Amino acid sequence: MSISQNLQKLKLSIPQDVELVAVSKTKPVSDIQEAYDSGHRVFGENKIQEMAEKYEQLPEDIKWHMIGHVQTNKVKYMASFVSLIHGVDSLKLLREVNKQALKHDRVIDCLLQIRIAEEETKFGMSEDDAVSLLNSDVFNELTNVRIKGFMGMATFTHDKGQVEKEFKSLKSFFDRCKNETGNHSSVRLEILSMGMSGDYDLAISNGSNMVRIGSSIFGERNYSNF
Ligand SMILES: *Cc1c(COP(=O)(O)O)cnc(C)c1O
């Protein structure tokens, strides 16, 4: 099946209020253009340099999401155009995003990446650290970032029970925080980004409203090109 057919099929299978981020990392601009031509506008990349290069070559109304781990010294390369940063996992990074956003006179939307997987390799912050960040005085002074929600990645396993447990725990943390941060001007918890090609249905049934899907749209990735 073609990219546009894959997208069509996927969009029919997910609820309308769930946002689909088409993860185009390692894929050529021609693939993204094909998805764009079929009407899709939201794309996710996990390397800042790669995203910036693609941004230069593709239509301006694309919404670019940074879904990968972000190094502080590279924020400047995406600050002018990035639409949503999923992987914010420290106050230090958030301060840099704020600084760069200020230079471009814009507010950058961010998600805090929360560690939900049992695996030790995944990035992200603990729930306690996220709460401290949101309550900190330093965060209060950051005028050019807005926390729009949370992102989480489940353990890479065939054990659906495990994956479901992890999604459920992030959803309940999300709901709890939503109740407690209602009045904060820089926090608007609306987005829960969970679910990839292998587990998006499970993520959606456990409260996700943003899924990040790559291989089911563009096919398997060939990393030897990068
Ligand atoms: C690559 C990637 C995805 C998409 O993975 P697929 O299995 O190809 O759908 C989603 N989220 C993140 C953070 C990724 O790096």
Side-chain angles (χ1 to χ4, degrees):
M1 286 217 294
S2 69
I3 290 168
S4 56
Q5 285 171 322
N6 288 339
L7 263 172
Q8 211 70 41
K9 194 170 143 220
L10 204 54
K11 281 179 182 176
L12 288 173
S13 77
I14 66 178
Q16 279 201 331
D17 57 347
V18 173
E19 175 113 68
L20 170 62
V21 179
V23 176
S24 47
K25 63 190 187 197
T26 79
K27 298 295 179 179
V29 290
S30 56
D31 282 7
I32 302 174
Q33 185 69 50
E34 185 180 338
Y36 179 90
D37 290 340
S38 79
H40 200 73
R41 292 292 179 270
V42 184
F43 295 90
E45 292 281 336
N46 73 336
K47 294 207 169 72
I48 294 173
Q49 225 121 345
E50 185 180 337
M51 183 172 77
E53 282 169 23
K54 288 172 172 174
Y55 161 75
E56 292 291 337
Q57 300 172 58
L58 284 154
E60 239 184 301
D61 61 340
I62 286 180
K63 291 197 165 77
W64 292 100
H65 287 204
M66 173 42 56
I67 63 169
H69 182 65
V70 176
Q71 283 171 276
T72 309
N73 61 348
K74 293 195 176 150
V75 172
K76 55 178 178 282
Y77 301 118
M78 64 173 172
S80 68
F81 70 91
V82 68
S83 163
L84 182 66
I85 303 175
H86 290 231
V88 173
D89 62 358
S90 72
L91 188 54
K92 175 170 169 264
L93 175 57
L94 203 57
R95 286 172 82 163
E96 177 63 13
V97 173
N98 184 72
K99 184 175 145 194
Q100 297 299 331
L102 202 59
K103 282 188 189 165
H104 295 276
D105 194 25
R106 62 186 295 243
V107 173
I108 296 183
D109 286 338
C110 298
L111 305 180
L112 296 182
Q113 183 172 355
I114 311 295
R115 193 169 49 239
I116 56 173
E118 285 201 336
E119 300 162 313
E120 297 222 346
T121 55
K122 304 275 180 181
F123 294 108
M125 57 201 314
S126 68
E127 293 183 359
D128 286 348
D129 288 346
V131 169
S132 313
L133 185 155
L134 293 173
N135 288 317
S136 69
D137 294 336
V138 175
F139 171 63
N140 246 324
E141 285 160 18
L142 306 183
T143 52
N144 291 61
V145 288
R146 188 164 44 208
I147 304 297
K148 295 279 284 182
F150 299 144
M151 185 269 240
M153 285 173 86
T155 302
F156 192 70
T157 172
H158 289 295
D159 181 354
K160 287 203 168 200
Q162 177 67 29
V163 173
E164 182 158 38
K165 192 176 86 185
E166 293 170 3
F167 286 152
K168 273 192 201 313
S169 79
L170 186 53
K171 168 70 163 122
S172 84
F173 179 59
F174 178 69
D175 289 340
R176 247 181 301 142
C177 290
K178 225 165 33 176
N179 289 333
E180 285 162 22
T181 55
N183 293 325
H184 199 300
S185 60
S186 299
V187 185
R188 204 141 312 148
L189 298 182
E190 295 164 353
I191 299 172
L192 187 54
S193 168
M194 322 189 282
M196 320 181 6
S197 291
D199 57 17
Y200 70 88
D201 43 352
L202 204 55
I204 291 169
S205 59
N206 286 289
S208 167
N209 59 15
M210 184 174 278
V211 291
R212 312 173 308 268
I213 300 184
S215 39
S216 293
I217 299 170
F218 297 105
E220 294 300 320
R221 285 177 291 274
N222 179 1
Y223 282 100
S224 66
N225 293 333
F226 284 83

